[in-house]
Amino acid sequence: MSTGRPKVGVRSVSVALLLLLMSSPALAGGMEMPDNGTRALARGGAFTVLADDLSAIAHNPGALIRLQGTQLLFSNHVYLVDERFTRGPSLFPEDPNTQGYGHDPFAPVSNSETVFPLGPVFAVGSDFGEDNLFAAFGIYAPNGTGKKKWPLDGGQRYMLTELESLLFYVNGSLAYGEKDSYGVGLSLQVAMAPSMRMNMVTDGSPFGVLNPYASVNDVEAVLEVSDLFALSAIFGAWWRPIPEIELGLSGRIVPVSLDASGDFELRNIPGQTQFTPERLEVTGSSARLRLKLPPTLRAGVRYRHLCGGEELWDVEVNVVYEAWSIMQSMDVEMEGQINLFAIAEAPNANIARRWRDTLSARIGSTFQLGELATVSAGAYYETGAVPENYEHIDFMSFDRIGLSLGFGLELGPVRLSGAYMHVFQEPRSVSEATAKGFQIRPLDPCPDACDFGAGWSGVPANTGVFESGYDIFSASIETTF
C-alpha cells in the first residue's frame, strides 16, 4: 500500500468522514412525517388552526390562548420503518480480490432498525386564573426516526452503514388574546442534539483503481458529534372572525443554527481489511459541523359545523412551506493527524446537498360522537426535499402521501387519544450516468484524480432503486386541573 500523496489522501478521508453528516438526525420538513402529537397525526397534520392541546407549542403557540386551567400532556409516536435499496450495475469492473467477502452487491438490502419507539411530546401549561394569558413549557422530539442500520457488506455500504441520533427541543411558550376570539403567541426554543453517531465505508484504493462494490482497502469511518444549545423561535396567531370560521398562521421565524462538535475514528471491515492499529489511529481528532435548519410557514382555515352553539364536526385545510433550499451544502471543520496513509493535518470540507424547498397540503376533520368521544381522519401530500440524482438512504425525502385515522375519549378530567398514519412514498431509480452521490476514495479523490483522460468522475455510490414506506402509531394522555 502506497504511503505517497499524503495531502490528497487525508483530504479525502476527511470528506468521507464528514459525508456521514448527511445522515444528520431527523429534524423537520422533508426529514419529518407530519406531525407532532397524537391529535395532529390523526388529522393528517392539519392542526395549525385547531391546535387544541399543548402540542400547540410546536404547531401554533397563538392557539394556546383557548386552553383553560392547568393542563398536562404526554404523547408518543412509534414508527415502523420499511426502507430498501437495490444496487444497480456499474460499468466499472469489480475487484476480483473481493469475491471471498460474501458480498452480493445486487442483493436488495434494508434498514434493519424497523421499529423506532421514540417520538414524545411532554408539556405542561396554565392560564393561572387569567382570561387573557396562557403559558406553557414543553419538551418534544421531531417527528421522525433517529436510528438506522444497514449491512456492512451491502450494496449501500458506501452511502451509510449505521446512524444513531437524538434531537429534542426545550420549549417555553406564552400566548395572549381572548379565548373565543383571537390569540397571538411565541415559543422560544433551545434545540439540543446530545448524540449523533454515523458510520459509512470509504474506499482506500490508490492510483485510480475504481472498485464499484467493494475494495480490499475499505475502512469504516465512524463520526460522533453533538450540540447542546441552538436557539430558535416559533410565532403563531389564531383568529375567529365569525363563529363558523377560524384562521391560523404560524412558523419558525428563527432558523435553528446547529454547531455540532465531536470526534471521528477509522475501523477495519471484519473479515476484509487488516490495517494495523497504528494506521487506523487518528491523533488529536475533532470535527465541527455548522448547519442551519430552515424557516417555515404554516397557514390554515377551519370550518366549524355548529348546532345550538356546540361544534359537531370540522374540516381544516393547511398549507405548510419549509425553506429546505437553505441546505445547499454542509460545511465542516476538521482537526487532527490522520495516520492511515501518512501523517498530515486534516483539512476542512464542504459537502454539496442541493436540497429544495418543500410544500405540503393537508386536510383533517374531527367528528363528535356524543359528549365523550371523537373520531378523526386526515390526509396530506408533501413534495420531497431531495432532488433527483442526489438520493441517499440517510433520508429518503421524496414525494409522499399520508393517510391517518384517530379517536379521542374523555373520562372526566382525563382525555385519551390514539392515532395511526401510513405514509406512501414514491420509489426513486438512479442511473449511473446521472447519479451525484459519489464513492469516497482516500488516496485518489474523485473527480480530482479519477479522470486520466477517460472522462471518469468516480464511481456513483447511489446508483440503484430506493423504496420506502412508514407506519406511525401514536397515543396520548391529557389531564386538566
Side-chain angles (χ1 to χ4, degrees):
M1 182 177 297
S2 170
T3 59
R5 306 171 66 183
K7 293 183 180 179
V8 172
V10 169
R11 181 175 71 250
S12 298
V13 171
S14 301
V15 173
L17 294 167
L18 300 174
L19 271 172
L20 294 172
L21 287 170
M22 293 191 300
S23 306
S24 54
L27 300 171
M31 299 178 181
E32 194 171 21
M33 287 156 284
D35 216 326
N36 295 96
T38 304
R39 291 204 211 179
L41 187 74
R43 294 167 59 90
F47 204 59
T48 302
V49 185
L50 178 60
D52 60 346
D53 67 13
L54 287 169
S55 69
I57 62 177
H59 296 283
N60 186 348
L64 287 168
I65 195 63
R66 295 186 296 182
L67 304 183
Q68 297 181 351
T70 298
Q71 300 200 8
L72 182 70
L73 166 70
F74 176 75
S75 71
N76 189 59
H77 290 351
V78 176
Y79 309 87
L80 300 185
V81 179
D82 179 17
E83 295 177 330
R84 289 161 283 138
F85 175 73
T86 303
R87 178 71 157 87
S90 173
L91 296 176
F92 300 97
E94 182 177 5
D95 184 349
N97 295 318
T98 65
Q99 294 178 357
Y101 297 155
H103 172 68
D104 180 3
F106 308 118
V109 293
S110 61
N111 174 15
S112 61
E113 294 290 345
T114 57
V115 179
F116 187 73
L118 298 175
V121 177
F122 173 78
V124 59
S126 179
D127 61 10
F128 300 101
E130 299 292 332
D131 292 332
N132 302 113
L133 291 174
F134 194 93
F137 172 82
I139 300 175
Y140 66 93
N143 189 31
T145 62
K147 191 171 185 179
K148 302 185 183 221
K149 189 171 185 179
W150 296 77
L152 195 57
D153 62 351
Q156 89 308 321
R157 59 195 268 137
Y158 290 119
M159 287 190 286
L160 181 72
T161 56
E162 195 167 348
L163 178 151
E164 187 169 340
S165 58
L166 177 64
L167 174 79
F168 58 90
Y169 296 98
V170 179
N171 188 99
S173 302
L174 184 65
Y176 172 83
E178 296 182 5
K179 296 185 183 299
D180 295 325
S181 180
Y182 74 93
V184 293
L186 183 68
S187 291
L188 297 179
Q189 299 180 323
V190 174
M192 305 182 72
S195 175
M196 293 185 284
R197 180 175 61 83
M198 307 89 173
N199 304 17
M200 69 175 290
V201 173
T202 180
D203 180 8
S205 298
F207 308 128
V209 179
L210 301 180
N211 303 305
Y213 313 122
S215 167
V216 293
N217 296 316
D218 282 345
V219 292
E220 185 178 28
V222 182
L223 178 65
E224 295 188 54
V225 295
S226 64
D227 181 12
L228 297 179
F229 191 84
L231 290 175
S232 181
I234 297 173
F235 172 81
W238 163 81
W239 180 38
R240 181 184 291 166
I242 61 175
E244 292 83 7
I245 299 295
E246 296 178 346
L247 307 174
L249 184 70
S250 70
R252 179 190 288 155
I253 57 175
V254 178
V256 179
S257 296
L258 291 171
D259 188 356
S261 60
D263 200 359
F264 65 91
E265 64 175 311
L266 303 177
R267 298 175 181 174
N268 280 316
I269 308 297
Q272 179 176 331
T273 48
Q274 300 296 325
F275 289 104
T276 64
E278 291 76 19
R279 288 287 185 91
L280 293 173
E281 182 183 1
V282 181
T283 306
S285 63
S286 67
R288 184 179 184 183
L289 165 71
R290 290 186 176 94
L291 174 67
K292 283 191 175 181
L293 307 181
T296 65
L297 180 65
R298 300 169 179 250
V301 57
R302 185 171 87 101
Y303 167 75
R304 308 167 67 219
H305 186 79
L306 304 175
C307 182
E310 297 294 326
E311 182 177 320
L312 298 184
W313 55 270
D314 80 319
V315 175
E316 179 173 343
V317 177
N318 288 180
V319 176
V320 180
Y321 169 79
E322 304 189 14
W324 275 109
S325 59
I326 197 173
M327 189 182 291
Q328 290 297 296
S329 66
M330 293 185 178
D331 302 316
V332 190
E333 298 176 3
M334 294 289 290
E335 293 185 359
Q337 291 183 333
I338 299 176
N339 305 306
L340 185 60
F341 306 107
I343 299 176
E345 293 296 323
N348 299 333
N350 176 275
I351 305 163
R353 292 295 273 164
R354 305 295 185 265
W355 278 31
R356 304 175 297 198
D357 296 346
T358 62
L359 190 65
S360 176
R362 310 175 184 182
I363 185 170
S365 180
T366 298
F367 291 80
Q368 189 73 36
L369 302 178
E371 296 183 358
L372 303 180
T374 60
V375 61
S376 300
Y380 82 97
Y381 168 77
E382 183 177 73
T383 60
V386 177
E388 293 183 357
N389 304 320
Y390 286 87
E391 287 83 355
H392 200 282
I393 60 172
D394 56 358
F395 290 106
M396 298 187 190
S397 177
F398 315 144
D399 290 2
R400 54 176 66 134
I401 294 174
L403 301 176
S404 62
L405 199 63
F407 72 91
L409 181 64
E410 294 188 12
L411 302 174
V414 176
R415 179 183 175 91
L416 305 177
S417 300
Y420 165 75
M421 173 181 283
H422 180 74
V423 178
F424 304 86
Q425 188 160 247
E426 64 163 328
R428 290 274 189 96
S429 181
V430 184
S431 71
E432 188 173 58
T434 59
K436 301 297 184 183
F438 290 99
Q439 184 188 83
I440 303 304
R441 300 173 49 78
L443 284 180
D444 287 278
C446 297
D448 295 345
C450 293
D451 194 324
F452 296 103
W456 294 348
S457 59
V459 179
N462 64 335
T463 299
V465 178
F466 298 77
E467 299 173 286
S468 55
Y470 306 89
D471 293 284
I472 309 173
F473 297 87
S474 182
S476 71
I477 181 170
E478 308 165 52
T479 184
T480 301
F481 301 96

